[in-house]
């Protein structure tokens, strides 16, 4: 797909503090592009510069052929923005809110159809204060869709939501993408990035330290699979280390841990070895590599530290 956004040497400096440090990436039309990183990494500042909501210290953002710094009005005509927190007119119900935002954009929309799309049609007469956290987030996305955007920005869209509300929002994001909308989202949830994003930029300390598909990131960091197991006797680590597909064997309390990049080879070899040696294996667990492992490999610390 062609590129719809090009970010070149983008930088934001506040006095002596560099919030975003000369980052570069492109976003393909129709994809969901994620920026994953801990709080304070520069994710929100990056989005705000791309949206034209914050001034750019250096570099450029070209969105749909328009320079964000010099063609801000034209850019705003083709984007929708869902902020981390939103404020709405307290006296209006949801239908009235949608119609008000449509008027501000100079658009004509079917408010009921839009509310139906975000599963809020049953709340049409409700006010914002009567909504749950997940419903408020869906409303903010509905408002962002009033502009019928080519590009939708979602900044930490599921922060603070319970697991069910989070998954409902994931379904909504995928539905919007299915209509051809390009989506850029920030998150610090690894699973969210893996489920939703076609490509992910991992951001830390104002820089992008890796960018690829979820599968590509796992390969890039060269992170393997962990096999954990308890046994009824001390683990013969030296022998386990020699098993096909095993890179490293480590004794643990009442068991052992194996590192492998070939679990399909290591697991059968382990079971055969245990049978031959009359070793009883308990609670065998296979842990596939995750983006948490990638972040740990790249930075030396966990994502939420």
């Amino acid at each position: 797909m062609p590129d719809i956004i090009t970010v070149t040497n983008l930088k934001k400096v506040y006095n002596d503090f560099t919030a975003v440090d000369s980052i570069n990436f492109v976003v393909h039309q129709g994809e969901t592009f994620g920026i994953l990183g801990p709080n304070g990494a520069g994710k929100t500042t990056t989005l705000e510069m791309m949206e034209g909501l914050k001034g750019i210290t250096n570099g450029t953002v070209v969105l749909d052929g328009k320079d964000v710094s010099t063609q801000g009005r034209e850019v705003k005509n083709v984007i929708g923005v869902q902020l981390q927190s939103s404020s709405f007119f307290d006296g209006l119900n949801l239908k009235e809110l949608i119609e008000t935002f449509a008027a501000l954009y100079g658009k004509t929309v079917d408010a009921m159809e839009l509310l139906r799309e975000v599963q809020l049609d049953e709340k049409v007469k409700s006010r914002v204060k009567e909504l749950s956290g997940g419903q408020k987030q869906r409303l903010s996305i509905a408002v962002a869709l009033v502009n019928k955007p080519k590009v939708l920005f979602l900044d930490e869209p599921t922060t603070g939501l319970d697991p069910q509300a989070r998954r409902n929002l994931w379904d909504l994001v995928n539905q919007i993408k299915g209509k051809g909308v390009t989506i850029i989202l920030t998150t610090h949830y690894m699973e969210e990035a893996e489920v939703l994003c076609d490509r992910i930029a991992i951001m830390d300390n104002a820089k992008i330290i890796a960018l690829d598909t979820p599968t590509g990131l796992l390969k890039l960091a060269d992170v393997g699979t962990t096999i954990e197991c308890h046994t009824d006797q001390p683990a013969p680590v030296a022998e386990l280390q020699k098993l096909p597909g095993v890179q490293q064997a480590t004794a643990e309390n009442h068991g052992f841990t194996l590192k492998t990049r070939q679990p399909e080879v290591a697991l059968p070899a382990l079971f055969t070895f245990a049978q031959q040696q009359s070793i009883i294996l308990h609670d065998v667990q296979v842990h596939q590599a995750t983006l948490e492992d990638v972040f740990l490999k790249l930075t030396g610390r966990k994502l939420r530290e």
Side-chain angles (χ1 to χ4, degrees):
M1 297 297 291
D3 299 335
I4 193 168
I5 302 175
T6 302
V7 175
T8 306
N9 295 325
L10 188 63
K11 188 171 186 176
K12 183 64 179 179
V13 178
Y14 299 97
N15 297 321
D16 319 353
F17 176 68
T18 300
V20 176
D21 193 2
S22 302
I23 62 174
N24 298 272
F25 61 90
V26 298
V27 178
H28 306 320
Q29 185 175 333
E31 77 172 334
T32 298
F33 183 91
I35 304 177
L36 172 69
N39 293 332
K43 305 187 302 295
T44 294
T45 302
T46 298
L47 246 63
E48 290 175 341
M49 287 190 286
M50 295 173 68
E51 297 157 350
L53 298 179
K54 186 161 288 184
I56 295 172
T57 301
N58 189 50
T60 59
V61 177
V62 177
L63 190 153
D64 196 32
K66 305 163 185 66
D67 189 307
V68 170
S69 293
T70 60
Q71 298 173 278
R73 182 176 294 275
E74 292 89 339
V75 167
K76 289 179 174 62
N77 284 335
V78 297
I79 67 172
V81 177
Q82 177 262 328
L83 304 173
Q84 281 191 21
S85 60
S86 301
S87 298
F88 297 100
F89 302 111
D90 294 333
L92 302 181
N93 62 39
L94 301 198
K95 182 174 183 292
E96 292 167 339
L97 279 171
I98 295 294
E99 291 171 344
T100 298
F101 275 93
L104 292 172
Y105 277 113
K107 301 284 186 179
T108 300
V109 299
D110 183 336
M112 282 304 302
E113 178 59 30
L114 197 49
L115 289 171
R116 193 173 297 113
E117 183 177 346
V118 299
Q119 300 174 3
L120 287 176
D121 48 306
E122 294 182 357
K123 295 288 184 178
V124 60
K125 296 297 184 181
S126 301
R127 288 170 171 75
V128 175
K129 64 182 179 181
E130 301 168 20
L131 302 181
S132 68
Q135 289 169 339
K136 288 178 181 176
Q137 289 292 69
R138 295 207 300 275
L139 173 62
S140 66
I141 292 176
V143 169
L145 293 174
V146 163
N147 198 32
K148 301 177 182 177
K150 289 185 179 181
V151 179
L152 177 63
F153 291 94
L154 304 176
D155 193 5
E156 303 275 5
T158 64
T159 296
L161 300 187
D162 61 66
Q164 183 61 50
R166 180 173 295 132
R167 290 190 176 275
N168 288 341
L169 206 68
W170 291 355
D171 290 340
L172 174 58
V173 171
N174 281 327
Q175 288 171 22
I176 295 168
K177 178 191 174 185
K179 296 183 177 181
V181 179
T182 302
I183 298 173
I184 298 94
L185 68 86
T186 66
T187 184
H188 58 264
Y189 295 120
M190 288 80 63
E191 184 185 8
E192 181 163 283
E194 289 185 84
V195 168
L196 294 179
C197 299
D198 299 294
R199 291 187 304 135
I200 301 166
I202 297 180
M203 196 167 186
D204 189 41
N205 292 326
K207 293 180 178 292
I208 290 178
I209 58 176
L211 195 164
D212 208 328
T213 64
T215 301
L217 286 171
L218 294 176
K219 292 179 180 178
L220 176 69
D222 200 22
V223 179
T225 297
T226 301
I227 301 171
E228 295 179 353
C229 187
H230 292 142
T231 63
D232 62 340
Q233 57 185 274
V237 173
E239 296 301 316
L240 291 170
Q241 183 77 56
K242 299 175 184 176
L243 293 180
V246 173
Q247 294 175 291
Q248 180 182 356
T250 307
E252 304 286 349
N253 291 333
H254 308 293
F256 58 86
T257 297
L258 305 180
K259 297 287 187 181
T260 177
R261 290 187 181 84
Q262 297 176 288
E264 71 282 1
V265 175
L267 274 170
L270 170 63
F271 293 140
T272 299
F273 175 78
Q275 186 176 33
Q276 292 172 344
Q277 300 297 318
S278 299
I279 298 173
I280 299 176
L281 303 178
H282 301 284
D283 192 22
V284 178
Q285 298 185 29
V286 180
H287 301 283
Q288 298 287 350
T290 67
L291 292 179
E292 178 79 50
D293 299 311
V294 174
F295 191 85
L296 179 63
K297 181 74 176 287
L298 295 174
T299 67
R301 59 191 176 87
K302 292 186 177 180
L303 185 59
R304 292 185 177 86
E305 289 180 0

